[in-house]
Amino acid sequence: MTLRGKLLLLSLSILALPWAGWQFVQQLEVLLRQGQEQALLASAEALARGIAVRPANLPASGPGWFVHRLAFAPRLDGEDGDWRASGAEPASVGGGAPWLRASVGRANERVHLLVQVDDTSRQRGEAHWPGDLEFDRVRLRLLGPGGELVLRLANSQSGELLVAGEDGLPPPIRVEGFWLEHDQGYTIELALPQAFDVRGLGLEARDLDAAGQRRVAGSLAGDDALKAWPLHGYAGALEPALLTLAPPGMRVLLADREAWVIARAGRIRADASEEDLLPWRRGLYRALLFRDTLPAADEAPDAGRVVRAEVAAAIAGGSGTAWRRDPSGARLLLSAAVPVKVDGEVRAALLLERSNSEVLLLTDRAFSGLLGVSLVAFLASGGVMFLFASHLGARIRRLRDAAERALDREGRVTPFPTTRARDEVGDLSRSFASLLDQVAAYTDYLRSLSGKLSHELNTPLAIVRTSLDNLDAAALPADTQPYLARARDGVERMGTLVRTMSEVTRIEHAIESAEAETFDLRALVADYAEGHRGLLLPRELRVDLPASPLRLRGSPDLVAQALDKLFDNARGFCPPEGWVRLSLAPEGDGARIAVANLGPPVPEAMRARLFDSLVSLRGKPQRLEGATHLGFGLYVVKLVAELHRGRAQVRNLPDGDGVEFTLHLHPMP
């Protein structure tokens, strides 16, 4: 990864800022919600205290029966379909596993009762049978205007309900009803007289199994005595008080201890702030911030019962709040439930509900501000990082390019750019410049070393050569002559080395001081070929020249020197029966000279190094007797080509039986 990419990746760390801001927004939203909850709870408690000072219409303390408002008088057939259609639900009694269920309703000023008993061990009897006989039966205790009345209900089979007094005699009031047997037990559906004002109702079911064991369930006191529980229902008289005390724009419900609604008033009014939020933003905040919000309660607006966790908490004597989404999902609903206590006893539960979008609006403002600040900070930080990385990367690339151009293939050092920057990159560039200055000084020393050595070695060689001549003139024993010949041969070879080094130094100086002139390159090559044809014998010399003169601005002497090196190389590697080919052709504004010969190919590993100094591929078969090759010849060829703004190349011939050296020459400036 590039430095720019790494710094840009590092700049992503600024994303911690919006993350921290988002955590702050979430905490702020929690605090706002808690504040709204406390405010609504305070309103609900104030409303509950206002209701508690007028307890006449509240359910009595202790257990009681809720009287459902039936839409129409149910048909007395033992079926509960008419009751379910009116939304009536039975109250269960009978211990941990209730087996007695009863529903009380009122239609046309007449009280109806539905009793369901789970009893598969049938021990049936008739209501008028003597009371000391044991059989399945239901006792009904009624508290009316004339006092208490106890009735016995019992049938041996399905049919019209049989009713008797506690003594088995006909009852003082006429009760209509039906007894229905079914697989799970039996159902009693009855209607009391229209003029009979029931103030309390007690219910007891006795179940006898085949072994004579009896169980009893119902509205029983601690001593298993049948007790009449008071009746209560929807109290319309409470609605004016609720409307007066309830805050505007809120809905208030009053429920008994079984969560049955006994009064309701008001309706939820939409907040004006709901229109200030776009729908998609409102939905986003609900998805991110209100994930724990409950869905809207599934009861209908006029439901007879509110089964909610906060209402259950209020019935138990505490308080509770809940956030919900309304059925359309367009707004948030906040509800709070508190108990209504009279003399320390919970008589009812009050539920206060309102629409609350202020939290969303405040959250939106905080989130919008956070988003704007985070975006500006991220763009600014990313832009600064990008500019800094681009500038730093450009400086490093310039330093890399300068380092790559600092040394050429001959070891010459080019000027290295320096900078005054006081940072690490500036220190690195100055260190490179200092290092290359030392390399340049050492390279100059090595370049002048051959000239110095050739000059210093000439005098000792002359002394050794003179001494050998004097020894040759002296009368020496015959057995010393081979040693004298070897010494003279070594001196000659050393002299050749010195001359070669001097020649290279001379050519380098000549290249440095060469002056350009315009000459006919075709004529120079033709004359050179004719002059060296005899030196190549018995090898065949092939010449390929253009038909017209080829003018070139350059140094003819140095071009001839390069041809000398190429011809010497071709003669050294070409066998006596081989051939050498010299060709000249125009190339752009310059020319191309090629010298090819029959002989061994150049190894691929050596092609890139063949024109370097002190590199030679000559073995003993390619060396002329008494000749020494230091690898300076092709190095001189490259220097001449570079002087003419060209290059020197070598390649193996396609058929693999020879080598071709090529000089690409262009006019000198």
Side-chain angles (χ1 to χ4, degrees):
M1 183 181 292
T2 63
L3 183 62
R4 181 186 304 177
K6 291 180 179 179
L7 288 177
L8 284 178
L9 185 62
L10 181 62
S11 67
L12 294 179
S13 61
I14 200 173
L15 291 178
L17 176 62
W19 178 83
W22 179 250
Q23 298 301 315
F24 172 75
V25 169
Q26 287 184 314
Q27 293 299 322
L28 177 63
E29 178 267 336
V30 171
L31 292 176
L32 290 174
R33 288 172 62 178
Q34 290 177 350
Q36 295 291 334
E37 292 170 3
Q38 294 299 325
L40 191 61
L41 275 175
S43 299
E45 289 173 354
L47 183 57
R49 287 193 295 269
I51 297 298
V53 298
R54 285 172 279 186
N57 294 314
L58 294 176
S61 60
W65 299 101
F66 180 78
V67 181
H68 298 278
R69 291 189 299 181
L70 303 178
F72 52 87
R75 183 179 179 182
L76 301 179
D77 55 2
E79 300 289 345
D80 61 351
D82 297 337
W83 295 78
R84 290 199 304 269
S86 298
E89 295 182 12
S92 299
V93 292
W99 51 276
L100 172 62
R101 295 177 299 280
S103 299
V104 182
R106 187 184 298 274
N108 300 328
E109 301 302 325
R110 193 176 186 185
V111 175
H112 294 257
L113 181 64
L114 178 69
V115 180
Q116 297 172 310
V117 179
D118 294 337
D119 178 19
T120 57
S121 59
R122 298 184 178 182
Q123 302 294 324
R124 305 291 191 253
E126 301 288 342
H128 57 273
W129 287 6
D132 57 351
L133 294 179
E134 291 291 345
F135 55 89
D136 299 333
R137 60 191 176 200
V138 173
R139 296 175 66 208
L140 196 62
R141 189 183 188 96
L142 301 176
L143 180 61
E148 290 187 347
L149 177 63
V150 179
L151 302 178
R152 184 192 303 171
L153 313 178
N155 277 41
S156 60
Q157 60 184 355
S158 297
E160 182 180 353
L161 180 64
L162 300 180
V163 182
E166 184 71 4
D167 53 4
L169 298 177
I173 61 173
R174 184 172 181 271
V175 178
E176 299 180 15
F178 192 85
W179 180 295
L180 177 64
E181 292 282 347
H182 48 76
D183 294 338
Q184 290 77 28
Y186 58 91
T187 300
I188 300 173
E189 188 175 15
L190 61 86
L192 298 177
Q194 188 170 7
F196 191 79
D197 183 16
V198 181
R199 300 175 183 176
L201 187 147
L203 183 66
E204 177 195 74
R206 294 188 179 186
D207 177 29
L208 187 70
D209 60 12
Q213 299 295 326
R214 183 178 66 178
R215 60 176 180 171
V216 180
S219 57
L220 304 176
D223 55 355
D224 290 340
L226 180 58
K227 184 178 180 180
W229 290 352
L231 276 66
H232 65 273
Y234 189 85
L238 287 173
E239 291 185 357
L242 293 178
L243 285 174
T244 302
L245 298 175
M250 299 187 188
R251 181 173 64 184
V252 58
L253 298 177
L254 199 62
D256 67 0
R257 289 181 298 275
E258 297 296 328
W260 292 104
V261 177
I262 59 177
R264 57 164 51 92
R267 64 184 184 87
I268 299 176
R269 185 176 60 193
D271 292 337
S273 59
E274 291 183 3
E275 302 300 327
D276 296 337
L277 290 178
L278 295 176
W280 68 269
R281 296 175 71 172
R282 188 185 301 118
L284 176 64
Y285 298 145
R286 288 199 188 94
L288 296 179
L289 295 173
F290 292 84
R291 289 180 304 224
D292 58 341
T293 302
L294 300 173
D298 55 1
E299 73 264 5
D302 58 348
R305 195 176 191 184
V306 284
V307 183
R308 299 188 186 181
E310 61 269 29
V311 174
I315 293 173
S319 62
T321 59
W323 290 85
R324 288 182 174 84
R325 296 183 297 272
D326 69 345
S328 63
R331 51 185 181 169
L332 286 173
L333 302 178
L334 173 61
S335 59
V338 296
V340 178
K341 294 183 178 181
V342 178
D343 297 332
E345 294 184 353
V346 177
R347 301 281 291 273
L350 186 140
L351 177 68
L352 193 60
E353 194 170 17
R354 61 165 295 185
S355 174
N356 197 322
S357 294
E358 290 91 346
V359 173
L360 286 179
L361 183 60
L362 295 175
T363 301
D364 177 69
R365 291 175 180 173
F367 181 75
S368 299
L370 171 66
L371 184 62
V373 171
S374 300
L375 182 61
V376 171
F378 181 74
L379 292 178
S381 175
V384 171
M385 285 282 190
F386 181 79
L387 293 177
F388 173 73
S390 300
H391 177 66
L392 182 61
R395 292 178 61 194
I396 294 177
R397 285 194 299 272
R398 287 195 297 269
L399 184 62
R400 178 204 62 191
D401 296 339
E404 291 177 350
R405 296 191 301 267
L407 293 175
D408 58 13
R409 296 182 63 85
E410 289 75 39
R412 289 190 295 267
V413 179
T414 60
F416 192 84
T418 58
T419 178
R420 294 182 180 180
R422 308 310 303 173
D423 56 5
E424 288 79 1
V425 178
D427 292 341
L428 182 60
S429 66
R430 287 187 289 273
S431 299
F432 276 156
S434 176
L435 176 63
L436 289 174
D437 288 341
Q438 298 179 19
V439 173
Y442 184 69
T443 302
D444 292 339
Y445 169 75
L446 292 179
R447 287 182 176 279
S448 61
L449 181 62
S450 61
K452 294 176 181 178
L453 288 177
S454 61
H455 176 73
E456 296 296 333
L457 290 176
N458 277 330
T459 299
L461 284 176
I463 295 174
V464 174
R465 187 178 289 109
T466 302
S467 300
L468 291 176
D469 290 341
N470 293 333
L471 289 175
D472 194 25
L476 295 176
D479 56 351
T480 63
Q481 291 300 322
Y483 301 107
L484 185 62
R486 292 176 185 173
R488 190 180 298 279
D489 182 62
V491 170
E492 291 300 328
R493 291 191 179 188
M494 188 175 296
T496 301
L497 289 175
V498 173
R499 287 193 300 274
T500 302
M501 294 169 61
S502 299
E503 180 184 3
V504 172
T505 303
R506 178 182 59 80
I507 292 176
E508 289 179 344
H509 289 308
I511 290 174
E512 293 176 357
S513 60
E515 296 183 359
E517 61 179 276
T518 302
F519 64 97
D520 185 2
L521 183 58
R522 180 187 182 283
L524 185 148
V525 174
D527 293 342
Y528 188 90
E530 291 302 324
H532 288 73
R533 189 181 297 274
L535 294 177
L536 290 175
L537 292 177
R539 303 167 186 86
E540 177 187 359
L541 178 61
R542 304 172 184 175
V543 182
D544 183 11
L545 301 176
S548 58
L550 183 57
R551 309 294 293 178
L552 180 70
R553 179 176 174 78
S555 174
D557 293 336
L558 293 178
V559 173
Q561 288 279 356
L563 288 175
D564 282 339
K565 305 304 180 185
L566 292 177
F567 264 80
D568 180 66
N569 185 77
R571 184 179 63 176
F573 284 93
C574 183
E577 67 278 5
W579 50 264
V580 177
R581 182 176 68 240
L582 174 63
S583 60
L584 173 65
E587 186 178 61
D589 60 347
R592 180 177 62 85
I593 301 176
V595 178
N597 65 272
L598 183 68
V602 177
E604 291 295 328
M606 293 297 296
R607 288 179 59 183
R609 299 179 50 210
L610 200 57
F611 292 95
D612 293 345
S613 178
L614 299 177
V615 176
S616 176
L617 293 179
R618 294 178 183 265
K620 291 183 178 180
Q622 287 81 27
R623 295 174 181 165
L624 299 175
E625 187 177 352
T628 301
H629 294 272
L630 301 180
F632 285 116
L634 295 180
Y635 173 65
V636 172
V637 172
K638 185 181 71 169
L639 294 180
V640 173
E642 292 177 349
L643 177 66
H644 290 81
R645 299 189 299 115
R647 65 188 186 280
Q649 291 180 321
V650 61
R651 71 181 183 92
N652 294 321
L653 296 178
D655 52 6
D657 58 355
V659 179
E660 181 182 68
F661 289 85
T662 305
L663 278 178
H664 300 274
L665 305 178
H666 297 279
M668 290 178 58

